[in-house]
């Protein structure tokens, strides 16, 4: 229905609204691409940047002049060339003045122009002053020499250059970033000397490949001194395709016991890095660090001092962790998308980009030479006319004195052009001396030689390339500097495991019947004396270390894991495990485990089945847990029991009808998950329902004793008595004495 709507533009001009919307959006897209977001390959500038530089040159703000208020420049820019907001224009100007943002700044600012910690903390434009830098001369030096194409400004009252006649490939030297409609650009800055070497090589070897050029351009060169740690293959692939990424890492050095960070990656704030490290320290996730301070000052813009907790601290592992968890290491997207000489945006590889810029530069030099040649020709033409004056001085003076129209008479008498006649009439009497005739002949000879040189250069492609190479090297000598971003291939950083960051303190983790957990420091903890919520009571506990995982087993045989150090203190009543895990409705936790990955535990169900499983096989990071024990219908999982040595341990199993069986642990399988084998035979009725279940389980070694709890009754059994209940797996077991037919728990008395 919308396609039938029409818009009236006055008169008889009408357009379908769908067609109008498509055309309007396309025009807006092209405007955003060509006139706002993407740099031109010629001068490497976006329109607002180009207009700022040009406006400053028109105000006479060269590097040797006195700076003026930035508000004056911004006013000229938005009033004459760029009718946009003053704050946006000023921010673009600030960016070109910040040495930590631009590799080769175009604006020399005085006052507060922001800092690395807060680039947007610059003062208002009414307070700051600015002028162009020496480097800006490379963009403007040839502007008035017939090299630029001029276009009308927004109200057609002034002219402005469409592209500045850059003597250097600024598009690579300073790079740029921008987001347009449907495309973006991220061009990293590069070192001037390296780029010039690559340009010269490409001029000398037009068939050079990207790999050849990479022998000169080693990689991006950011304003900050951090390291580029991307592999050479990645950097080369970036230049081959025009897209990729660059990884930067902060530099640090050891001073006594301290680690001192001396440089940060591009656009990384030192205060933010300090905050990120401090947050880890406060959260007790970085115990390896004892102290952190910022000693940055005017002489040392970046000096972050980290003091390890001990001399034995692995500093490389510590820094690797910080690189992985803070902005000390960052990845930068690269997309060499520029507006080409044909006015179209395109992602270019390094060779195509440099080749197109060199074509632009050669054409610019041609225009400059042609402009100079035209100027020389005009001057020689004028000198030819002036020489006639000296050869016919008396006649010329008579004509000027006596004739009513001396211009026409001179033209007719000596066959002069309009320009020559005008020049003769403008000659002052003081220049009619004999000496001036010699000067004219000398100037003619000099200009004739220059004209010959210009003509031969314009006709020869080789001489043009030689001139471009010479000028590139001259500019490199004037503006070039050493590389700041070192290229060092390093291994990828990795964060330390949470268990390595937490001090290994002995703890006791307590589980309540309602599924609340907490951790108490030490192992001599009276778990029954702890306070529990109303209606809640002690369920189980386990001893371990604070840097270990705690595994919780629910009644359905699923395992869940938590870091021990993340549990609340035993001074409180703990916190519900349901807040940490995604459990099924009505899930009940029956036991918990801690230890090393290779430690083994016996897991079993009340149906009498079980197996031995390594702790590592039960560990999971999923909040939904991991199915470990297959529990038959109507049965529940029993609290897991630690197995110290499969070859030596004995398994003590007690049925709900008072039968006990002692078997070697070696008779049970070692599995990662499953139902397991039958440990003790429990009886069923004819309908298949359980009438008996395995209610208690323990592991002992030869010579150890146990205590059976049956309500208020307690029965101690030594090793000799236990031997009387020994049997083979899956048997019924031996009946316990009267009064101990309903066992609640088994306590093992370990030998010292």
């Amino acid at each position: 229905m919308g396609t039938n709507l029409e818009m009236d533009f006055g008169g008889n001009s009408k357009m379908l609204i769908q067609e109008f919307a498509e055309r309007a959006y396309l025009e807006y897209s092209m405007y955003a691409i060509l006139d706002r977001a993407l740099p031109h390959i010629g001068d490497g500038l976006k329109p607002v940047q180009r207009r700022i530089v040009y406006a400053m040159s028109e105000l006479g703000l060269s590097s040797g002049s006195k700076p003026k208020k930035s508000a004056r420049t911004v006013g000229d820019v938005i009033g004459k060339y760029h009718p946009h907001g003053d704050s946006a224009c000023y921010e673009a100007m600030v960016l070109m003045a910040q040495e930590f943002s631009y590799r080769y700044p175009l604006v020399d600012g005085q006052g507060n122009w922001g800092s690395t910690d807060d680039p947007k903390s610059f003062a208002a434009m009414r307070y700051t002053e600015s002028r162009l830098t020496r480097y800006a001369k490379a963009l403007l030096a040839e502007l008035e020499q017939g090299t630029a194409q001029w276009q009308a400004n927004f109200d057609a009252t002034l002219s402005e250059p469409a592209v500045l006649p850059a003597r250097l490939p600024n598009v690579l030297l300073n790079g740029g970033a921008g987001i347009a409609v449907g495309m973006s650009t991220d061009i990293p800055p590069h070192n001037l000397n390296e780029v010039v070497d690559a340009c010269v090589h490409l001029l000398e070897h037009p068939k050079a490949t990207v790999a050849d050029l990479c022998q000169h351009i080693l990689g991006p060169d950011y304003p900050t001194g951090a390291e580029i740690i991307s592999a050479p293959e990645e950097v080369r692939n970036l230049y081959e395709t025009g897209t990729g990424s660059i990884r930067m890492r902060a530099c640090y050095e050891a001073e006594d016991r301290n680690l001192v960070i001396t440089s940060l990656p591009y656009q990384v704030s030192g205060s933010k890095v300090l905050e990120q490290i401090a947050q880890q320290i406060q959260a007790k996730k970085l115990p390896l660090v004892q102290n952190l301070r910022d000693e940055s000052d005017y002489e040392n813009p970046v000096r972050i001092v980290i003091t390890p907790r001990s001399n034995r601290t692995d500093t490389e592992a510590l820094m690797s962790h910080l690189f992985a968890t803070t902005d000390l290491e960052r990845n930068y997207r690269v997309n060499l998308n520029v507006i080409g000489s044909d006015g179209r945006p395109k992602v270019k590889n390094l060779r195509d980009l440099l080749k197109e810029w060199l074509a632009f530069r050669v054409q610019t030099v041609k225009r400059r030479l042609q402009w100079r040649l035209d100027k020389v020709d005009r001057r020689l033409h004028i000198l030819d006319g002036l020489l006639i004056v000296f050869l016919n001085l008396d006649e010329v003076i008579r004509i000027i004195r006596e004739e009513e129209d001396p211009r026409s008479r001179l033209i007719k008498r000596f066959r002069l052009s309009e320009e020559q006649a005008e020049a003769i009439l403008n000659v002052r009497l003081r220049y009619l001396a004999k000496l001036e005739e010699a000067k004219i002949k000398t100037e003619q000879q000099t200009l004739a030689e220059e004209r010959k040189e210009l003509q031969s250069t314009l006709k020869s492609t080789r001489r043009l390339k030689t001139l471009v190479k010479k000028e590139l090297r001259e500019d490199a000598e004037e503006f070039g500097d050493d590389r700041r971003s070192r290229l060092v291939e390093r291994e990828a950083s990795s964060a330390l495991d949470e268990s390595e960051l937490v001090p290994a303190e002995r703890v006791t983790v307590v589980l309540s019947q309602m599924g609340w957990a907490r951790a108490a420091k030490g192992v001599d903890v009276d778990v029954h004396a702890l306070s529990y919520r109303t209606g809640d009571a002690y369920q189980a506990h386990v001893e371990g270390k604070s840097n270990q995982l705690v595994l919780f087993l629910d009644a359905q045989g699923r395992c869940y894991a938590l870091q021990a150090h993340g549990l609340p203190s035993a001074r409180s009543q703990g916190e519900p495990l349901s807040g940490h895990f995604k459990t099924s409705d009505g899930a009940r936790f029956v036991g918990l485990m801690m230890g090393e990955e290779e430690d083994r535990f016996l897991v079993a169900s009340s149906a009498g089945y079980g197996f031995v499983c390594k702790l590592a096989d039960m560990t999971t990071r999923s909040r939904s847990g991991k199915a470990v024990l297959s529990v038959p219908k109507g049965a529940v999982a029993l609290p897991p029991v630690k197995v110290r040595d499969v070859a030596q341990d004995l398994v003590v199993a007690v049925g709900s009808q008072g039968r006990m069986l002692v078997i070697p642990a070696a008779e049970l399988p070692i599995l990662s998950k499953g139902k397991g084998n039958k440990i003790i035979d429990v009886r069923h009725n004819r309908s298949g329902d359980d009438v008996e279940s395995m209610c208690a389980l323990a592991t002992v070694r030869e010579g150890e004793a146990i205590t059976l709890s049956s309500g208020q009754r307690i029965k101690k059994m030594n090793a000799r008595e236990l031997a009387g209940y020994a049997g083979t797996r899956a048997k019924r077991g031996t009946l316990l004495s009267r009064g101990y037919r309903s066992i609640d728990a088994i306590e093992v008395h370990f030998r010292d």
Side-chain angles (χ1 to χ4, degrees), residues 169-237:
N170 185 62
V171 68
L172 275 180
L173 300 182
N174 275 320
I179 300 176
V181 178
M183 62 177 62
S184 64
T185 183
D186 289 281
I187 306 173
H190 292 77
N191 183 268
L192 194 151
N193 289 329
E194 293 181 4
V195 173
V196 166
D197 288 343
C199 289
V200 170
H201 182 82
L202 191 56
L203 284 171
E204 295 174 347
H205 305 87
K207 294 184 179 180
T209 63
V210 173
D212 297 332
L213 298 177
C214 285
Q215 298 297 319
H216 301 280
I217 299 180
L218 305 179
D221 187 23
Y222 291 90
T224 55
E227 296 176 343
I228 294 176
I229 62 170
S230 299
E233 297 77 20
E234 294 179 10
V235 177
R236 182 173 298 178
N237 183 66

Side-chain angles (χ1 to χ4, degrees), residues 524-580:
D524 298 327
V525 180
D526 187 352
V527 294
H528 297 283
L530 297 175
S531 64
Y532 294 89
R533 299 172 71 249
T534 304
D536 200 1
Y538 167 80
Q539 169 75 22
H541 74 279
V542 68
E543 296 173 356
K545 297 179 180 179
S546 56
N547 62 346
Q548 292 177 331
L549 284 172
V550 188
L551 272 62
F552 299 89
L553 183 69
D554 70 7
Q556 300 305 312
R558 296 188 72 85
C559 256
Y560 305 82
L562 275 182
Q563 291 286 346
H565 67 84
L567 292 171
S569 169
R571 296 173 185 172
S572 66
Q573 292 178 338
E575 58 187 18
L577 295 176
S578 57
H580 294 279

Side-chain angles (χ1 to χ4, degrees), residues 340-359:
S341 298
D342 58 357
R344 296 179 179 179
K346 185 180 179 182
V347 177
K348 305 178 186 293
N349 63 30
L350 180 62
R351 182 183 182 277
D352 292 343
L353 194 149
L354 287 180
K355 187 176 180 181
E356 188 168 340
W357 182 84
L358 285 171

